[in-house]
Amino acid sequence: MDMKNDRFFGVLIPVLTPFRRDYEPDLPTFLSFCRSLLEEGANGLAVFGTTSEANSLSLRERRTLLGALVEDGLDPKLLLPGTGAAAIPDAVELTRAAVEAGAGGVLMLPPFYYKGVSDDGLFRNFAEIIERVGESRLRVYLYHIPPVAQVPITLGLVERLLKVYPQQVAGMKDSGGDWKNTQAFLDAFARGGFDVFPGAETFLLQGMRHGGAGCISATANVNPAAIARLYDTWTAAGADAQQTRLDEIRGIFAKFPMIPALKAAVAHWSGEEAWRTVRPPLVALTGEQSAALVSQLEQAKFTMPGLRQ
Amino acid sequence: MDMKNDRFFGVLIPVLTPFRRDYEPDLPTFLSFCRSLLEEGANGLAVFGTTSEANSLSLRERRTLLGALVEDGLDPKLLLPGTGAAAIPDAVELTRAAVEAGAGGVLMLPPFYYKGVSDDGLFRNFAEIIERVGESRLRVYLYHIPPVAQVPITLGLVERLLKVYPQQVAGMKDSGGDWKNTQAFLDAFARGGFDVFPGAETFLLQGMRHGGAGCISATANVNPAAIARLYDTWTAAGADAQQTRLDEIRGIFAKFPMIPALKAAVAHWSGEEAWRTVRPPLVALTGEQSAALVSQLEQAKFTMPGLRQ
């Protein structure tokens, strides 16, 4: 199993959630896609993240998908499900379900409805969830994604949480896209056993050189093997060239709405048109956008060899 | 019953949700508080709004509170529960429960997790909810509150929705705090039977003079009778002086975090200290803040005579 000291490391993937055309989760396709990502070299699956449209899913849907993965024989220690919610009872229910399923950890959004909330309020939120779940084996990774959640995870908040819950507070995902912020967290906490994952492979190499733990990246859904290879060989010659190539591919996806673009690429290379479906309020790429995306990816000699459908 | 043509009008109150010290909803206090607001002259109760900390409640908690109100004998046509959610299945569940309980309408947030979503995606979101609920008696009031939800309700979106669902799309609450926006919606839709409620009594008089339907305001939790009186007498002499007085009281609350300040005032005038409790990520006023609030309100000769505990 790909874990050192029961901690996540390497390339974790916020797995896309396939929907049928009626917006219901497509369970067989989800299971098959998860397996293919692990076969391609993913070190773990951060299911139910932002890229997974997890906040467009009900609690029951998330619990059903999690249960199906474990029942399907996937090692639960490789799972880092998203369990943050606007309401404490919801976060507690999802987190408890993840721990009971044996998940290696949970990736926890701050409560994201109210804006401008204080670190004091956020501390109480996370403390209340950890206390109510009441499990020493719980491992919480805090999820900093200010462009979406708008509510940040600050250095001061992490410091306070680590003081009271040094065992349960295990790390973070930094999806702020600001290297200076990632570096500040690495400098402050990485040597103390708090693992910092940049929220994109953009900062994979830079992160590893500063004590990072890997990355948790949307584009790892479509480019898992190459990202995992850089993680495995980041100290070797040619690492910078690998990073440049990863940036080139991500840069193409970043020209389009990210989640619909990732789904369009999977649809194209798998031949499964239903993969294009996103739940509202997201909207699938237009035919024109989709053609432009594929054309640019093909020009860059990108393909998805590992897809198994 | 205070309804013309089955539409809401007047002063609707996004009722504060009382919690016990362990953060559980205090049902008897909630029922009693709802009754006192109606006795004070509220024309309806917009339970489960932003002020109600509704997004800090689980679906089950919201459904339990709604069921208790109806079971307690409160006329369900006076209820405008908040039923918007980040996930379509959740919004459908809450909306269906509201319709089945006989609620006069629902106040619906846009899906608020993803930011920068298109009107096309928002249209599909609301359409999907209306279609899945599938009830001709459903009355949806769209909830525009960009400072919190960050996802706006635009003129174009309302126009599209009214075209397809003229019966179900009944109005909106505009909590943007920008009179020009409220006026644009009034100008575009008020004569067509789409009712626009400013999200604060600040614009009650101005709104009524431009075809508004009343207001839905947080501070109506603490000042219901005076706000209802302006609604009832807005065409009479002295309306401007009434508006000035309402603004004075609201202005005091607005110097503090609004929801904790409203709860602190209710705690002070009811003598029920538990009223101060807010769920994380909100934080109660400090003793100092609370004393300053009460002192300023007393100086302004404000009191809450109608509270029954």
Side-chain angles (χ1 to χ4, degrees), chain B residues 165-190:
Chain B
Y165 305 104
Q167 193 164 16
Q168 282 101 336
V169 176
M172 75 183 295
K173 174 183 182 189
D174 181 357
S175 293
D178 170 10
W179 169 251
K180 277 185 190 152
N181 186 67
T182 306
Q183 189 165 24
F185 278 97
L186 285 166
D187 290 348
F189 304 115

Side-chain angles (χ1 to χ4, degrees), chain A residues 33 40 221-224 253 262 265-266 269-270 302-307:
Chain A
F33 189 63
E40 287 285 288
N221 276 285
V222 292
N223 201 16
F253 281 98
L262 296 170
V266 177
W269 271 284
S270 70
F302 171 85
T303 185
M304 291 185 66
L307 266 186

Side-chain angles (χ1 to χ4, degrees), chain B residues 204-205 208-209 229-240 242:
Chain B
L204 174 54
L205 187 54
M208 294 312 297
R209 287 173 177 164
R229 190 164 72 91
L230 174 54
Y231 175 76
D232 289 336
T233 61
W234 73 269
T235 54
D240 286 283
Q242 283 188 60

Side-chain angles (χ1 to χ4, degrees), chain A residues 23 50 53 55-58 61 86-87 89-90 109 111-115 118 121 125 128 148 150 259 279-281 283, chain B residues 23 50 53 55-58 61 86-87 89-90 109 111-115 118 121 125 128 147-148 150 279-281 283:
Chain A
Y23 298 130
T50 298
E53 300 172 74
N55 291 299
S56 301
L57 299 172
S58 69
E61 287 172 327
D90 292 348
L109 278 167
F112 50 81
Y113 183 67
Y114 293 103
K115 307 304 184 291
S118 65
N125 168 80
E128 188 73 17
V148 184
Q150 308 272 333
I259 300 167
R279 273 197 181 174
V283 176
Chain B
Y23 298 130
T50 299
E53 299 171 76
N55 291 298
S56 301
L57 299 172
S58 69
E61 288 173 326
D90 292 348
L109 278 167
F112 50 81
Y113 183 66
Y114 293 103
K115 308 304 184 294
S118 65
N125 167 80
E128 187 73 17
V148 184
Q150 308 273 332
R279 273 198 181 172
V283 176

Side-chain angles (χ1 to χ4, degrees), chain A residues 168-242:
Chain A
Q168 283 102 335
V169 176
M172 75 184 294
K173 175 182 182 189
D174 182 357
S175 294
D178 170 10
W179 168 251
K180 278 186 190 151
N181 186 67
T182 306
Q183 187 165 24
F185 277 97
L186 286 165
D187 290 349
F189 303 115
R191 272 184 298 272
F194 177 87
D195 295 324
V196 178
F197 291 86
E201 71 274 27
T202 319
F203 298 127
L204 174 55
L205 187 53
Q206 209 166 356
M208 295 312 297
R209 287 172 177 164
H210 288 82
C215 71
I216 306 177
S217 177
T219 30
N221 276 285
V222 292
N223 201 16
I227 301 174
R229 190 164 72 89
L230 175 54
Y231 174 76
D232 290 334
T233 61
W234 71 270
T235 54
D240 286 285
Q242 283 189 61

Side-chain angles (χ1 to χ4, degrees), chain B residues 221-257:
Chain B
N221 276 284
V222 292
N223 202 17
I227 301 173
R229 190 164 72 91
L230 174 54
Y231 175 76
D232 289 336
T233 61
W234 73 269
T235 54
D240 286 283
Q242 283 188 60
Q243 180 69 61
T244 302
R245 170 65 179 168
L246 296 184
D247 294 347
E248 180 192 4
I249 300 306
R250 186 176 171 97
I252 295 171
F253 282 98
K255 292 181 197 166
F256 301 86

Side-chain angles (χ1 to χ4, degrees), chain A residues 64-243:
Chain A
T64 300
L65 290 172
L66 179 67
L69 279 173
V70 175
E71 199 166 314
D72 198 48
L74 200 140
D75 183 352
K77 297 300 274 180
L78 299 178
L79 296 175
L80 181 68
T83 64
I88 287 175
D90 292 348
V92 169
E93 179 182 331
L94 290 171
T95 303
R96 191 176 284 146
V99 173
E100 284 169 2
V106 300
L107 187 56
M108 203 179 285
L109 278 167
F112 50 81
Y113 183 67
Y114 293 103
K115 307 304 184 291
V117 296
S118 65
D119 270 5
D120 200 30
L122 292 175
F123 174 82
R124 289 182 201 190
N125 168 80
F126 288 114
E128 188 73 17
I129 295 166
I130 292 169
E131 297 283 351
R132 288 198 195 183
V133 172
E135 290 268 10
S136 58
R137 61 188 162 145
L138 169 63
R139 294 292 173 274
V140 175
Y141 293 77
L142 302 164
Y143 188 3
H144 177 65
I145 181 165
V148 184
Q150 308 272 333
V151 175
I153 306 292
T154 66
L155 290 161
L157 175 62
V158 171
E159 196 177 349
R160 283 183 67 180
L161 284 168
L162 281 172
K163 212 165 271 175
V164 186
Y165 305 104
Q167 195 164 14
Q168 283 102 335
V169 176
M172 75 184 294
K173 175 182 182 189
D174 182 357
S175 294
D178 170 10
W179 168 251
K180 278 186 190 151
N181 186 67
T182 306
Q183 187 165 24
F185 277 97
L186 286 165
D187 290 349
F189 303 115
R191 272 184 298 272
F194 177 87
D195 295 324
V196 178
F197 291 86
E201 71 274 27
T202 319
F203 298 127
L204 174 55
L205 187 53
Q206 209 166 356
M208 295 312 297
R209 287 172 177 164
H210 288 82
C215 71
I216 306 177
S217 177
T219 30
N221 276 285
V222 292
N223 201 16
I227 301 174
R229 190 164 72 89
L230 175 54
Y231 174 76
D232 290 334
T233 61
W234 71 270
T235 54
D240 286 285
Q242 283 189 61
Q243 180 69 60

